[in-house]
Amino acid sequence: MKVHWKAKTFAFTVLICRGFLTACRSIDNELKRHIEQRVQSEQLLQRDVRKYDEAPEWQLPEPGAFASAKSFRDKVVMPFVNKLKSLIKNLTIQCVRLKEEVLQLKKEKKRLSDNVEFYKGKIKDMSDKTQMLQEKVDDLERVKRYVGAEQIDTIIRKVKEQERTEQQIRKYDRSYVAR
């Protein structure tokens, strides 16, 4: 059984759309993995925070027996506070960046999900058209079996010839009108 070229074209288009759909799903999975990595990073960050609670360099030492409050403040407390300020500033900047990245990833995921839904609709439409065209091909094959393939081929050849003749007449008419 011969398949009409339009049916082949629609089938090919459906295959292309399915490939795009697969690519979109792959990107969606990649975005999910990226978000999952960020969640794991957050868990690692929480472990690092525990490190700050226990590490000696992040503990304020006891003042010496003969240390004055001013010298203890200047030599121990203020460098420690400045170190904490710097750490908080860096963590805040990193947190803001991560939040912006999460928002951007969510927007990208939504856009890709919308594209996937759009192409799912396109694929369904093309599948319906392909099915309709296949039914027409099957009907034509039935007519060919009933009337005979040679007679159908002759009719098709005559109709194509008539269409070409009409097209040439229109072409000449346009060139004549343009003068």
Side-chain angles (χ1 to χ4, degrees), residues 16-26 115-117 119-120 123:
I16 290 172
C17 289
R18 285 186 181 154
F20 181 77
L21 183 63
T22 303
C24 287
R25 285 183 181 145
S26 141
N115 284 348
V116 165
E117 291 305 315
Y119 284 109
K120 278 182 182 178
I123 288 171

Side-chain angles (χ1 to χ4, degrees), residues 103-157:
L103 288 175
Q104 182 181 0
L105 289 171
K106 284 181 179 178
K107 286 178 185 176
E108 181 71 11
K109 182 181 182 290
K110 170 133 179 48
R111 185 185 66 79
L112 290 173
S113 294
D114 292 345
N115 284 348
V116 165
E117 291 305 315
F118 171 77
Y119 284 109
K120 278 182 182 178
K122 284 279 216 189
I123 288 171
K124 183 173 179 350
D125 291 346
M126 289 184 178
S127 178
D128 293 344
K129 286 180 183 179
T130 303
Q131 185 177 1
M132 181 191 68
L133 287 173
Q134 188 60 49
E135 289 172 9
K136 292 204 181 272
V137 166
D138 293 343
D139 290 346
L140 180 61
E141 290 298 321
R142 287 183 192 103
V143 170
K144 274 186 176 182
R145 279 195 311 265
Y146 183 77
V147 175
E150 290 178 18
Q151 218 172 354
I152 294 295
D153 290 339
T154 303
I155 292 170
I156 291 173
R157 193 174 39 243

Side-chain angles (χ1 to χ4, degrees), residues 2-178:
K2 289 186 179 178
V3 179
H4 194 270
W5 67 271
K6 287 186 179 180
K8 288 181 183 177
T9 303
F10 280 111
F12 182 69
T13 307
V14 168
L15 288 175
I16 290 172
C17 289
R18 285 186 181 154
F20 181 77
L21 183 63
T22 303
C24 287
R25 285 183 181 145
S26 141
I27 291 171
D28 186 45
N29 289 337
E30 185 179 327
L31 289 173
K32 285 179 183 176
R33 272 194 311 277
H34 194 67
I35 289 173
E36 189 175 302
Q37 287 173 348
R38 293 297 177 198
V39 169
Q40 290 174 352
S41 295
E42 185 178 335
Q43 292 170 349
L44 289 174
L45 182 65
Q46 288 174 355
R47 285 188 214 140
D48 286 346
V49 168
R50 285 190 214 115
K51 175 184 80 172
Y52 295 125
D53 287 340
E54 300 164 0
E57 69 264 14
W58 293 103
Q59 305 301 317
L60 194 60
E62 292 293 324
F66 297 106
S68 69
K70 181 169 178 27
S71 69
F72 184 73
R73 178 183 180 275
D74 292 343
K75 291 181 181 175
V76 178
V77 174
M78 289 313 292
F80 184 71
V81 168
N82 289 336
K83 190 176 176 182
L84 286 175
K85 285 180 183 179
S86 173
L87 177 67
I88 290 171
K89 184 169 81 172
N90 290 335
L91 289 174
T92 303
I93 290 170
Q94 187 177 8
C95 185
V96 168
R97 283 186 191 149
L98 288 174
K99 283 182 179 179
E100 288 174 356
E101 190 173 339
V102 166
L103 288 175
Q104 182 181 0
L105 289 171
K106 284 181 179 178
K107 286 178 185 176
E108 181 71 11
K109 182 181 182 290
K110 170 133 179 48
R111 185 185 66 79
L112 290 173
S113 294
D114 292 345
N115 284 348
V116 165
E117 291 305 315
F118 171 77
Y119 284 109
K120 278 182 182 178
K122 284 279 216 189
I123 288 171
K124 183 173 179 350
D125 291 346
M126 289 184 178
S127 178
D128 293 344
K129 286 180 183 179
T130 303
Q131 185 177 1
M132 181 191 68
L133 287 173
Q134 188 60 49
E135 289 172 9
K136 292 204 181 272
V137 166
D138 293 343
D139 290 346
L140 180 61
E141 290 298 321
R142 287 183 192 103
V143 170
K144 274 186 176 182
R145 279 195 311 265
Y146 183 77
V147 175
E150 290 178 18
Q151 218 172 354
I152 294 295
D153 290 339
T154 303
I155 292 170
I156 291 173
R157 193 174 39 243
K158 286 181 180 179
V159 169
K160 284 182 178 180
E161 194 174 303
Q162 183 181 358
E163 288 173 351
R164 277 192 294 260
T165 304
E166 289 173 358
Q167 187 178 19
Q168 285 178 343
I169 290 171
R170 281 193 299 265
K171 181 180 172 184
Y172 290 132
D173 285 347
R174 274 188 249 136
S175 66
Y176 182 72
V177 171

